[in-house]
Amino acid sequence: MGSLKIKKSKFGTLSDGFRIHIYTVSNGRMSFSATDFGCTLTSIMLPKKNGLHTDILLGYSTLDGFIGDNACFGALIGRFANRISNGCFTMDKNTNWIKMTVAETVFTGDMTAGKKKSGIQKK
């Protein structure tokens, strides 16, 4: 197996001028790509028996595809990944209310929150 490589490329620009990048992580045998537009996965490349690689992820090849996406292709788990009963929870002795989505329950985040700009910073 090869060494781990990370490649950063321009993926597009939002209407407000914010630049979106795509990061491809590869070990020489397989790779995946994700953007800093809400950490959206754009591809997962795996080898087939014949040695050729195939993308097994359903999604888009351009930023515009992901901007207009109502199906949330490539989305990772949201801010919370379970039900929040009655739309509230307590943290640090503070009660927090969240918009309920279905039958007085909240499932995996408010869809109006949409995708976030999340510039990646090196440490």
Side-chain angles (χ1 to χ4, degrees), residues 6-9 18-25 32-40 116-123:
I6 301 173
K7 177 184 169 190
K8 176 182 175 182
S9 305
F18 192 86
R19 291 186 191 131
I20 302 298
H21 300 92
I22 187 167
Y23 299 82
T24 301
V25 180
F32 74 91
S33 296
T35 71
D36 51 12
F37 183 62
C39 193
T40 303
K116 302 286 185 189
K117 297 181 247 183
S118 57
I120 295 176
Q121 299 176 357
K122 271 189 169 178
K123 289 189 175 189

Side-chain angles (χ1 to χ4, degrees), residues 104-121:
E104 298 183 2
T105 304
V106 180
F107 292 99
T108 64
D110 177 0
M111 290 303 290
T112 60
K115 304 219 173 40
K116 302 286 185 189
K117 297 181 247 183
S118 57
I120 295 176
Q121 299 176 357

Side-chain angles (χ1 to χ4, degrees), residues 8-113:
K8 176 182 175 182
S9 305
K10 183 179 175 186
F11 192 57
T13 305
L14 297 177
S15 60
D16 65 359
F18 192 86
R19 291 186 191 131
I20 302 298
H21 300 92
I22 187 167
Y23 299 82
T24 301
V25 180
S26 174
N27 68 1
R29 182 161 155 62
M30 55 191 276
S31 67
F32 74 91
S33 296
T35 71
D36 51 12
F37 183 62
C39 193
T40 303
L41 291 173
T42 60
S43 72
I44 300 174
M45 301 294 290
L46 297 176
K48 298 192 296 186
K49 287 182 181 180
N50 63 6
L52 298 177
H53 287 78
T54 188
D55 189 351
I56 63 163
L57 189 67
L58 186 58
Y60 305 100
S61 59
T62 66
L63 177 60
D64 287 340
F66 287 102
I67 290 172
D69 176 26
N70 291 325
C72 298
F73 288 136
L76 298 179
I77 297 298
R79 298 165 288 158
F80 45 91
N82 204 342
R83 298 178 185 182
I84 296 179
S85 182
N86 298 317
C88 72
F89 66 95
T90 303
M91 181 183 292
D92 297 329
K93 298 181 183 178
N94 296 312
T95 300
N96 300 277
W97 294 91
I98 301 172
K99 180 181 172 187
M100 291 183 281
T101 52
V102 178
E104 298 183 2
T105 304
V106 180
F107 292 99
T108 64
D110 177 0
M111 290 303 290
T112 60

